[in-house]
Amino acid sequence: MAKIIRAKRVKKSRVQPLSKKPAKAAVQKSAGKPANAPKPVAKKSPKPKPWTPAEVHEAFSRFRNANPEPKGELEHLNPYTLLVAVVLSAQATDAGVNRATRALFAVADTPQKMLALGEDSLRDYIKTIGLYRNKAKNVIALSAKLIAEFGGEVPRTRAEIESLPGAGRKTANVVLNMAYGEHTMAVDTHVFRVGNRTGLAPGNNPLEVELALEKVIPSEFMLHAHHWLILHGRYTCLARKPRCDVCLINDLCRWPEKTV
Ligand code: SF4
């Protein structure tokens, strides 16, 4: 009888389930390593120290002093042509888009004129741009939607712009910023690189970098911050060979591989 009671108590309480992994505490206490212990994984380099508000202010003050009114490089005539240019610029250079749109916008600078031009002719104008067949479809579809649902105007909210064929979050941010003066942050490849490399706004994807930049950049700089960062990435903080020696913010940058 006594044996039966003892067996029940043991089963309910202290007995640990069998596990392939030894308990953490036990491993820490153990003096030696097991023979088949895995090799230690190389340590990641430590996270850079976040920028202080004073440093962020200093960096953007320098960008502003150097270029008080930065401009985007996509040529356009109005919010509609800006929207079309941004849609065409996906995986293409601004210069390449401009070469095609100069002639296109001379004949079609409104959704109505674009529909009148038609998809076949539009394809001819933009055939030097990558993915032009799909982009032509999207431009015609978004033009039809602008007329049907927005009175032929480019809408002013992110959700409405994102509802247009071919337009995503980055497109909405560019249009809201450049056409309507909103404090949005469009993250392209350059802004993504600069945000991460400098340590100003680290993130694993464009949305994380966008939100991090919005958090740290003071409102007084937000109207132009997107352009300053793009231009910085395009002409100074180049992907392969950043020009750290002439960089305006090289003393603030956290990149361990900077060359100054
Ligand atoms: S110091 Fe070099 S890596 Fe850092 S932002 Fe300037 S150009 Fe880029």
Side-chain angles (χ1 to χ4, degrees), residues 14-221:
R14 304 277 161 79
V15 176
Q16 294 289 333
L18 283 176
S19 159
K20 285 177 188 170
K21 267 188 175 178
K24 203 176 175 186
V27 171
Q28 281 167 351
K29 279 182 191 170
S30 141
K33 286 179 189 168
N36 60 350
K39 281 184 185 168
V41 178
K43 271 189 185 172
K44 277 188 184 172
S45 50
K47 271 191 177 176
K49 217 174 86 191
W51 288 46
T52 65
E55 287 175 320
V56 179
H57 195 278
E58 175 62 24
F60 283 91
S61 299
R62 292 182 198 174
F63 286 141
R64 180 168 60 190
N65 290 341
N67 186 3
E69 293 288 333
K71 296 276 180 276
E73 296 185 339
L74 270 182
E75 294 174 10
H76 59 281
L77 307 168
N78 52 34
Y80 171 71
T81 49
L82 173 63
L83 171 66
V84 172
V86 179
V87 167
L88 295 178
S89 73
Q91 296 174 49
T93 63
D94 287 359
V97 172
N98 291 340
R99 275 194 293 277
T101 55
R102 272 175 215 136
L104 171 65
F105 293 158
V107 296
D109 60 354
T110 65
Q112 292 83 354
K113 289 182 194 170
M114 195 64 81
L115 288 189
L117 181 67
E119 192 175 323
D120 288 350
S121 303
L122 170 57
R123 268 205 303 269
D124 275 346
Y125 278 100
I126 64 170
K127 64 187 173 196
T128 52
I129 303 175
L131 310 173
Y132 71 97
R133 289 176 197 280
N134 205 32
K135 288 176 181 175
K137 261 191 185 56
N138 282 335
V139 169
I140 293 296
L142 75 81
S143 301
K145 185 162 181 171
L146 288 179
I147 293 169
E149 297 181 24
F150 301 105
E153 301 290 324
V154 176
R156 288 173 174 257
T157 69
R158 183 198 304 286
E160 287 170 326
I161 297 173
E162 284 186 23
S163 77
L164 300 168
R169 188 177 181 93
K170 195 190 87 177
T171 304
N173 283 336
V174 173
V175 171
L176 290 171
N177 177 250
M178 289 177 66
Y180 299 136
E182 302 270 348
H183 287 187
T184 50
M185 174 58 65
V187 175
D188 69 350
T189 180
H190 301 299
V191 177
F192 185 75
R193 182 174 65 256
V194 171
N196 272 296
R197 205 181 243 178
T198 58
L200 179 62
N204 293 315
N205 54 55
L207 181 59
E208 283 184 15
V209 171
E210 176 189 326
L211 299 179
L213 286 170
E214 283 183 355
K215 206 167 155 192
V216 297
I217 300 173
S219 171
E220 67 177 293
F221 299 113

Side-chain angles (χ1 to χ4, degrees), residues 194 197-198 232 236-238 242-245 247-251 253-255 257-260:
V194 171
R197 205 181 243 178
T198 58
H232 186 65
T236 305
C237 194
L238 309 179
R243 302 169 63 213
C244 304
D245 53 328
C247 171
L248 280 180
I249 56 167
N250 57 17
D251 54 325
C253 173
R254 304 288 199 262
W255 197 37
E257 294 168 47
K258 67 182 181 181
T259 57
V260 284

